[in-house]
Amino acid sequence: MSQQIIVYTDYVCPFCLLAEEAIVQATEGMDVEIRWRPFELRPAPVPTLKVEDPYLPKIWQDSVYPMAKKLGVPIKLPNISPQPRTDKAFEVFAMAEELGLGHAYSMAALKAFFQQERDIGNPEVLADIGESVGLER
């Protein structure tokens, strides 16, 4: 019987993409299922972060990039400002999860934002991501 690891994530949190690789490395050879659960860090009306503010570049330089290098995960601070809200991305996640595609969708959404600099607040981008993992557009 496989064990479950539940990961609470927001698709604009770089540590969530990095956690995937750390979990994969830590559980190699084990019977483990990773289950993703939405956790919006900045729900409306809380303002989302802006790349031009000092916080994001500093945390990326001091923490995100060193951790990504250690884990071997390609990642970059997206030049999308302000960062998108993720409520719509989580609606698509719910559809993906119903079809057993939640993990694949979560990884695709994180990679779209942090590796391809795609605006995951844009419904067309979300439709592309969903379609890429097997959802009907």
Side-chain angles (χ1 to χ4, degrees):
M1 177 180 223
S2 70
Q3 296 292 314
Q4 282 189 0
I5 295 177
I6 298 174
V7 180
Y8 290 88
T9 187
D10 194 348
Y11 299 138
V12 294
C13 173
F15 297 106
C16 295
L17 178 59
L18 299 177
E20 166 72 7
E21 183 60 28
I23 292 168
V24 167
Q25 289 179 18
T27 60
E28 188 173 349
M30 299 170 69
D31 187 16
V32 174
E33 176 188 12
I34 299 171
R35 302 290 307 248
W36 292 83
R37 294 292 173 257
F39 184 83
E40 193 173 3
L41 292 171
R42 291 169 192 83
V46 176
T48 61
L49 300 178
K50 295 180 179 179
V51 72
E52 57 272 7
D53 290 342
Y55 172 77
L56 279 176
K58 177 157 181 40
I59 196 76
W60 276 73
Q61 189 65 39
D62 294 348
S63 299
V64 177
Y65 285 130
M67 187 181 297
K69 184 177 180 181
K70 181 177 181 179
L71 293 168
V73 176
I75 194 169
K76 62 183 169 184
L77 174 58
N79 196 24
I80 298 169
S81 191
Q83 287 187 330
R85 298 223 175 263
T86 51
D87 55 334
K88 299 294 183 210
F90 287 135
E91 288 178 20
V92 180
F93 166 79
M95 291 183 276
E97 184 71 359
E98 285 180 10
L99 298 173
L101 301 169
H103 183 245
Y105 172 80
S106 290
M107 292 311 304
L110 286 162
K111 289 177 180 180
F113 189 59
F114 291 114
Q115 294 176 345
Q116 302 160 9
E117 285 191 275
R118 298 184 72 197
D119 182 354
I120 59 171
N122 179 319
E124 287 298 314
V125 171
L126 294 175
D128 290 344
I129 295 167
E131 189 174 45
S132 77
V133 300
L135 295 177
E136 288 187 35
R137 192 172 184 86

